[in-house]
């Protein structure tokens, strides 16, 4: 009976959709608010912004796709859903114990009690706000019945797990609107890797979306929210999945790539039936505020030789106030786009003859070098040894490392004397050769090799985004070769290095331990030892951290470090990953302690603190809003003579400061002193040194700080001592 009802509902949907397509709504040109325009703080992606169209025109839909395929999917979904629901009801509902984080135990029934039922028992408020649950460390739909005794956690929008799920579910609402309005073939719709919103990629044929489509998309999404559509889940076989999505070649390709033993899940909300591992929020009504942010083009699976797709970015919140705050925040952030500030301050520029590779002008190079010097000074104190490695290698190296099989399309590859070579996209294989080039002893470990070598990655042209996504860059890359017993101390050392650096920059950061994924290399015992060492290191480090089950790299567990800047945006910069596989692939060994001839393989730790120097440069420029701290500033001081009479003394002041090692200029123009000071403030000089006849007589300077109106008279010795103290304190 349930199946007949679902087919009837699908037919009704088809009829409504056909009537609406025969009488399409008026698509008059609409101008969205400024806050919805493209902005620099969006996460980097394989996409390129599309220019807004002069006017919005109706686009013909594939009516057959909408009126036939969509109802077919709903019918197949509901048939399987009814069967699985019936199968569950036939199972014995034995008592189970549900343990909460505070140790309290709730009673439930197997295959009947859901996390939502437990939330209702705790409080009505929690039931209204809980978006997703964690069952024995696995994310679990709130309405999905529990299957055994378990430990249960409940997550709201204030938790990372709840927020990510909220935005993932919002992507489904976006996909529903896009499919219904444009008859597109949906591809993928995740929350963004930056943890700030979501997007949906889809194939539209020749249609190019832009901001003028957003109003219509949002109105359809709003309708889905008001309908309080539940997110329903089924598990399907590979053949069932292929039948459901037989009309979408993109979904079919994803399904065919799945391993035979992979559990395939499909979710439905309203008319949307989507291939998705989930989980999702209980229903669409939780999404009280929804906005489209940006439209762009993208390549299917990031491959420039594949189909061109349209990507729509969105943001959503549980209330409209938070959405308005976010949009206002984006407008504020746009003022400090590093590309705008970099041009204004003459720091760097890009040229079409070298896309993705940036030119750093003298002032930009000063900052770039100071960032590297900061790290290099720490290397000396922390026992790192700096090395220099080649920029290009024979492809045999990349075959040994595994990059030729998994990363070649992202490399610049070329032929020399009938042999294939590649520019290095990372330093780790080269460092393995350095370890391997002679016999190593356990006494040399830990061996910490640091390399600022230039890296090249063949990013698609559409993915290039200012300094944050480039083709040529440098990293504060280092690899630590150590014994298993040294992992904990080395990890603690890296965490301390990260804390010192980010405290200096004024960042806060969060830590997550990502553990063994479903597909991994090596034996479980080694993984468990490594995870235990990382856990112990994190606990001893003393900063709160979270566990990210199953999200480690295939070659080893890792610690994810997420930094937050002054604009409260999150970035992934630092890296800390354990690797058992590269040492094995390169057959790295050291003479072990104990019996003669005994050899052991080292553990390799990949780590970076700044990450890409270019990307960190961009983040810091926006973080400081263009106002560089004195120690990092390319314009530390300027001397402004009041008149021609004081110019010779101004030059003497400039020379003495320059000889002391600071960046200083002198303004010898004929402008008034008021204009000179104002120009210096606009140019973001940290200190403005005014000298007139009185200062010439006394051998002093009148010191103004960049953002302050008052001034102090100081001797030259006092000024230079002050500058020295500022640099030492990283002010």
């Amino acid at each position: 009976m349930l199946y007949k009802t679902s087919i009837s509902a699908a037919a009704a949907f088809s009829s409504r959709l056909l009537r609406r397509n025969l009488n399409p709504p008026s698509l008059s040109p609409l101008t969205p608010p400024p806050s919805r325009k493209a902005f620099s703080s969006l996460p980097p992606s394989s996409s390129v912004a599309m220019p807004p169209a002069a006017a919005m025109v109706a686009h013909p839909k594939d009516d057959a796709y909408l009126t036939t395929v969509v109802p077919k999917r709903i019918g197949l979904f509901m048939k399987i859903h009814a069967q699985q629901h019936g199968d569950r009801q036939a199972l014995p509902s034995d008592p189970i114990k549900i343990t909460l984080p505070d140790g309290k135990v709730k009673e439930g029934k197997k295959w009947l009690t859901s996390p939502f039922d437990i939330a209702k028992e705790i409080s009505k408020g929690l039931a209204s706000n809980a978006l997703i649950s964690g069952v024995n460390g696995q994310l679990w739909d709130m309405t999905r019945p529990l299957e055994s005794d378990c430990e249960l956690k409940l997550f709201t929008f204030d938790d990372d797990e709840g927020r990510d799920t909220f935005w993932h579910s919002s992507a489904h609402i976006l996909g529903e609107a896009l499919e219904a309005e444009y008859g597109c073939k949906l591809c993928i719709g995740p929350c963004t890797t930056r943890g700030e919103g979501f997007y949906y990629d889809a194939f539209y044929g020749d249609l190019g979306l832009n901001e003028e489509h957003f109003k219509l998309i949002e109105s359809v999404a709003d309708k889905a929210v008001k309908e309080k559509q539940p997110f329903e889940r089924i598990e399907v076989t590979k053949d069932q999945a292929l039948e459901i999505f037989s009309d979408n070649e993109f979904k079919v390709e994803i399904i065919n790539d799945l391993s035979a033993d992979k559990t395939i899940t499909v979710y439905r909300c309203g008319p949307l039936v989507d291939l998705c591992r989930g989980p999702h929020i209980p229903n669409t009504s939780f999404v009280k505020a929804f906005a489209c942010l940006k439209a762009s083009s993208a390549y299917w699976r990031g491959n420039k030789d594949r189909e061109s797709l349209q990507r729509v970015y969105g943001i959503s919140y549980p209330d409209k106030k938070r959405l308005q705050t976010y949009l206002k925040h984006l407008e504020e952030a746009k003022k400090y786009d590093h590309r705008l500030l970099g041009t204004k301050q003459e720091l760097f520029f890009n040229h079409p003859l070298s896309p993705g590779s940036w030119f750093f002008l003298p002032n930009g190079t000063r900052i770039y070098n100071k960032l590297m010097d900061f790290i290099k000074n720490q290397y000396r104190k922390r026992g790192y040894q700096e090395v220099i490695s080649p920029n290009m290698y024979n492809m045999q190296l990349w075959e040994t490392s595994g990059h030729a099989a998994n990363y070649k399309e992202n490399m610049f590859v070329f032929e020399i004397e009938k042999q294939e070579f590649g520019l290095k996209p990372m330093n780790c294989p080269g460092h393995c050769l350095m370890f391997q080039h002679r016999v190593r002893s356990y006494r040399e470990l830990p061996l910490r090799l640091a390399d600022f070598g230039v890296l090249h990655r063949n990013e698609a042209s559409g993915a290039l985004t200012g300094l944050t996504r480039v083709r040529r860059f440098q990293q504060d890359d280092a690899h630590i070769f150590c014994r298993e017993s040294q992992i904990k101390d080395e990890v603690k050392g890296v965490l301390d290095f990260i804390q010192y650096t980010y405290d200096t920059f004024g960042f806060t950061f969060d830590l997550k331990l990502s553990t063994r994924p479903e597909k991994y290399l090596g034996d479980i015992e080694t993984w468990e030892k490594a995870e235990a060492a990382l856990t112990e290191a994190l606990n001893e480090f003393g900063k709160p951290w979270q566990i990210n089950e199953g999200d480690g790299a295939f070659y080893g567990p890792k610690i994810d470090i997420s930094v937050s800047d002054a604009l409260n945006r999150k970035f992934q910069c630092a890296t800390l990953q354990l690797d058992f596989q590269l040492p094995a692939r390169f057959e790295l060994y050291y003479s072990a302690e104990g019996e003669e001839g005994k050899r052991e393989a080292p553990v390799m730790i990949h780590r970076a603190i700044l990450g890409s120097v270019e990307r960190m440069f961009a983040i810091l420029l926006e973080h400081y809003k263009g106002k560089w701290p004195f120690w990092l500033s390319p314009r530390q001081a300027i001397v402004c003579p009041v008149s021609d009479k004081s110019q010779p003394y101004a030059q003497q002041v400039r020379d003495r400061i320059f000889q002391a090692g600071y960046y200083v200029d002198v303004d010898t123009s004929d402008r008034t002193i008021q204009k000179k000071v104002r120009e210096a403030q606009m140019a973001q000089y940290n200190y403005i040194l005014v000298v007139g006849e009185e200062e010439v007589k006394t051998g002093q300077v009148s010191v103004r700080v960049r953002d302050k109106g008052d001034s102090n008279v100081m001797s030259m010795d006092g000024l230079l001592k002050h500058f020295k103290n500022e640099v030492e304190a990283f002010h």
Side-chain angles (χ1 to χ4, degrees), residues 170 269 379 386 412 464-465 505:
S170 299
C269 63
Y379 281 164
E386 206 172 339
F412 288 101
L464 301 175
T465 311
F505 293 152

Side-chain angles (χ1 to χ4, degrees), residues 11 85-86 98 161 177 230 232 275 301-302 366 391 403 453 511 526 546 550 564 569 608 635 665 690 712:
H85 179 71
I98 300 126
E161 295 86 349
E232 299 172 292
L275 181 71
R301 295 197 154 177
R366 291 173 178 178
N391 269 20
H403 291 95
L511 299 168
T526 303
Q546 295 176 304
S564 298
R569 299 170 303 177
R635 296 180 175 91
D665 297 309
V690 177
N712 295 311

Side-chain angles (χ1 to χ4, degrees), residues 641-659:
V642 174
S643 66
D644 291 344
K645 292 180 182 179
S646 49
Q647 278 197 21
Y649 178 66
Q651 193 64 48
Q652 291 173 26
V653 171
R654 180 263 172 206
D655 291 345
R656 188 168 174 194
I657 295 172
F658 179 79
Q659 288 164 8

